[in-house]
């Protein structure tokens, strides 16, 4: 305690704040509008501790904790001295957004050099994030000093599973704040620019968790580091705070009597807030970037096709055209993944179109089975909560129906053209 206290006091003084020494049994010293950095002994810190804090700080019982909180698991004074030095030197600047497969490691180093917020997307674990051709790992973190990291990846926040986790490495090497998920899936379904909206990072994590709660997911985003830190010096995305009244208070989540919406409350804000939940491209890009799983899925699908269905060349061509046009249409509305992933998606959707032509149920089953199996295994191995698994299956079913409609419509059109 004597080793930690001077640094805790310095962090508090940076925000004109106060230091409390507590065993976390009584949190009555916190108010709804506070920003709280909870410095926790590392052996105490686990998933149960995080969710117990979230639940006990929900003063108004609206489902989301009221003070904006960040956690700092410490194994010794060096863990808090690193944060103290990084906060003392931190200067808000610009944000960069790194999608999996879009940049290599050297580009990451160059782009992040003058950034104060780094958003990284990819498949993850407590050890790090796979960004495609490279990985953000403890052995290769670049220069995290003075940069807030938002890790849009599965389970990276489970720092209790290994002491050499990416999150603790980034904090130890000078990052003042790291946002990471402690469940399957990332830290937000809002657009990535949300993190550069000019709010303190603790408030942004709170807003993201409120949106998770609104659709039945546990608040799985966790902030490690300073919650009062504003990570950028300009607003790249508009988040509007409004009183929680009227119809929009039913559509958007409430936080301390307010709603936070991407732009002014309205239909456009509804689409921007919830549209990413039902992204067909996101779902299948995620599956086809999971190591060799995509290749196995395609192999099984075409093995079934050529052994049991044996379609004519004209029928196969029609299926391929319907898959390609469906992909081009969805990509134009959403975005196009890297070329290799895009080709795998079109190839698998071609197989789905063949199944659908034989029997509509077969097409739907082909779309639902891959995410269902992956989700079932994740829940079975305790890598995802049951509630999140159910949510993934609900979203997978809806996106599968949308894709199946497109493949069916375009398949019928192209078949008529080819037959004529």
């Amino acid at each position: 305690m004597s080793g930690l206290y001077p640094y805790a006091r310095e962090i508090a003084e940076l925000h004109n704040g106060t230091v409390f020494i507590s065993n976390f049994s009584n949190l009555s010293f916190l108010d709804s509008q506070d920003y709280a950095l909870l410095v926790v002994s590392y052996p105490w810190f686990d998933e149960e501790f995080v969710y117990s804090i979230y639940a006990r700080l929900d003063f108004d019982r609206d489902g989301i904790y009221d003070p904006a909180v960040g956690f700092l698991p410490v194994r010794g004074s060096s863990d808090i001295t690193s944060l103290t030095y990084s906060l003392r030197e931190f200067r808000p600047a610009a944000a960069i957004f790194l999608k999996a497969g879009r940049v290599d490691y050297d580009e990451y180093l160059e782009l992040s050099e003058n950034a104060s917020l780094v958003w990284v997307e990819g498949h993850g674990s407590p050890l790090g994030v796979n960004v495609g051709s490279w990985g953000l790992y403890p052995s290769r973190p670049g220069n995290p000093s003075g940069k807030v990291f938002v890790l849009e990846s599965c389970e990276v926040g489970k720092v209790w599973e290994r002491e050499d986790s990416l999150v603790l490495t980034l904090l130890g090497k000078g990052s003042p704040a790291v946002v990471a998920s402690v469940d399957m899936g990332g830290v937000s379904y809002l657009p990535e620019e949300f993190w550069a909206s000019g709010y303190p990072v603790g408030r942004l994590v709170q807003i993201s968790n409120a949106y998770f709660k609104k659709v039945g997911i546990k608040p799985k985003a966790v902030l490690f580091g300073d919650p009062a830190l504003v990570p950028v010096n300009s607003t790249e995305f508009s988040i509007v705070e409004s009183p929680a009244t009227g119809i929009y208070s039913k559509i958007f989540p409430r936080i301390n009597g307010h709603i936070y919406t991407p732009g002014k409350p309205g239909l456009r804000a509804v689409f921007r807030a919830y549209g990413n939940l039902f992204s067909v491209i996101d779902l299948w890009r995620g599956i086809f970037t999971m190591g060799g799983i995509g290749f196995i899925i395609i192999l099984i699908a075409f093995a079934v096709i050529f052994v049991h269905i044996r379609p004519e060349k004209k029928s196969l061509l029609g299926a391929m055209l319907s898959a390609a046009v469906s992909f081009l249409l969805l990509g134009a509305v959403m975005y196009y993944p890297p070329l290799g992933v895009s080709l795998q998606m079109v190839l698998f959707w071609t197989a789905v179109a063949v199944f659908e032509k034989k029997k509509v149920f077969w097409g739907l089953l082909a779309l639902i089975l891959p995410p269902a199996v992956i989700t079932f295994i994740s829940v079975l191995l305790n890598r995802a909560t049951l509630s999140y698994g159910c949510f993934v299956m609900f979203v997978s079913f809806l996106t599968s129906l949308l894709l199946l409609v497109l493949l069916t419509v375009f398949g019928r059109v192209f078949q008529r053209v080819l037959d004529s």
Side-chain angles (χ1 to χ4, degrees):
M1 291 292 287
S2 61
L4 300 180
Y5 182 80
Y7 298 102
R9 184 178 61 193
E10 183 174 345
I11 292 172
E13 288 175 351
L14 288 172
H15 299 294
N16 296 318
T18 306
V19 178
F20 288 89
I21 297 175
S22 170
N23 63 2
F24 302 106
S25 62
N26 184 354
L27 299 173
S28 60
F29 56 86
L30 288 174
D31 184 72
S32 295
Q33 302 302 319
D34 284 340
Y35 288 81
L37 172 63
L38 306 183
V39 182
V40 189
S41 176
Y42 178 75
W44 278 28
F45 188 76
D46 58 16
E47 186 173 6
E48 183 180 351
F49 178 82
V50 171
Y51 284 121
S52 70
I53 293 293
Y54 280 176
R56 290 162 58 204
L57 292 181
D58 182 13
F59 301 142
D60 58 6
R61 295 290 178 256
D62 61 359
I64 198 69
Y65 53 94
D66 296 326
V69 296
F71 300 91
L72 183 65
V74 295
R75 295 155 293 191
S77 59
S78 62
D79 290 327
I80 195 169
T81 56
S82 297
L83 182 65
T84 306
Y85 293 143
S86 62
L87 290 174
R88 192 187 299 156
E89 301 298 323
F90 179 79
R91 298 293 181 273
I96 60 169
F97 304 95
L98 308 178
K99 284 184 173 288
R102 298 291 179 87
V103 297
D104 59 32
Y105 184 69
D106 290 334
E107 288 177 301
Y108 156 64
L109 294 178
E110 182 181 347
L111 291 169
S112 64
E113 185 175 354
N114 297 314
S116 60
L117 174 70
V118 179
W119 180 92
V120 182
E121 175 202 58
H123 291 293
S125 71
L127 182 59
V129 181
N130 182 347
V131 195
S133 61
W134 60 284
L136 189 65
Y137 296 114
S139 59
R140 212 179 182 200
N143 178 20
S145 180
K147 300 171 180 60
V148 173
F149 282 81
V150 179
L151 306 175
E152 185 60 40
S153 311
C154 299
E155 303 182 324
V156 190
K158 291 184 174 181
V159 300
W160 49 85
E161 292 190 356
R162 53 188 311 152
E163 289 196 37
D164 61 340
S165 65
L166 174 63
V167 169
L168 296 183
T169 299
L170 293 173
L171 291 171
K173 290 184 177 293
S175 172
V178 181
V179 182
S181 171
V182 294
D183 200 347
M184 185 179 177
V187 292
S188 182
Y189 57 79
L190 294 164
E192 57 265 29
E193 294 85 3
F194 159 77
W195 298 100
S197 56
Y199 281 83
V201 66
R203 180 69 71 212
L204 294 173
V205 173
Q206 185 186 38
I207 293 169
S208 181
N209 277 328
Y211 273 93
F212 280 134
K213 190 73 175 177
K214 189 67 176 177
V215 295
I217 303 173
K218 291 174 71 175
K220 61 195 178 81
V222 175
L223 171 63
F224 298 85
D226 187 351
L229 199 70
V230 179
V232 294
N233 60 5
S234 62
T235 302
E236 300 185 20
F237 189 81
S238 174
I239 293 291
V240 176
E241 178 184 357
S242 310
T245 57
I247 187 172
Y248 293 115
S249 66
K250 309 296 183 184
I251 298 173
F252 298 102
R254 297 165 59 99
I255 303 173
N256 296 337
H258 291 81
I259 58 173
Y260 295 82
T261 56
K264 292 182 179 180
L267 291 178
R268 187 165 183 263
V270 172
F271 179 79
R272 294 178 79 187
Y274 297 107
N276 284 345
L277 284 173
F278 307 102
S279 171
V280 179
I281 299 291
D282 274 350
L283 173 65
W284 289 100
R285 183 178 63 93
I287 291 174
F288 283 109
T289 53
M290 295 180 69
I293 290 179
F295 175 76
I296 295 172
I297 292 172
I298 293 172
L299 196 65
I300 293 172
F302 277 95
V304 172
I305 286 172
F306 289 120
V307 171
H308 296 285
I309 299 179
R310 298 173 186 171
E312 297 178 356
K313 291 182 180 179
K314 189 184 293 185
S315 179
L316 194 59
L317 178 60
M320 187 176 295
L321 288 171
S322 68
V325 172
S326 298
F327 174 79
L328 291 172
L329 177 62
L330 290 169
V333 174
M334 299 167 192
Y335 66 92
Y336 294 108
L339 180 61
V341 178
S342 297
L343 292 175
Q344 290 183 70
M345 289 169 64
V346 171
L347 198 56
F348 177 67
W349 292 0
T350 299
V352 172
V354 173
F355 288 130
E356 181 278 327
K357 191 174 180 183
K358 187 71 175 177
K359 190 173 288 188
V360 173
F361 176 74
W362 288 11
L364 183 61
L365 192 64
L367 288 171
I368 289 178
L369 267 180
V373 171
I374 293 169
T375 302
F376 175 76
I377 293 173
S378 297
V379 172
L380 193 66
L381 297 177
N382 203 29
R383 307 312 302 179
T385 59
L386 181 60
S387 62
Y388 190 71
C390 293
F391 173 77
V392 170
M393 288 314 305
F394 172 71
V395 171
S396 298
F397 178 73
L398 292 182
T399 55
S400 295
L401 285 179
L402 171 61
L403 179 55
L404 193 66
V405 168
L406 291 176
L407 292 173
T408 301
V409 171
F410 288 126
R412 301 293 184 271
V413 170
F414 284 118
Q415 197 60 52
R416 286 185 180 181
V417 171
L418 292 171
D419 289 341
S420 62

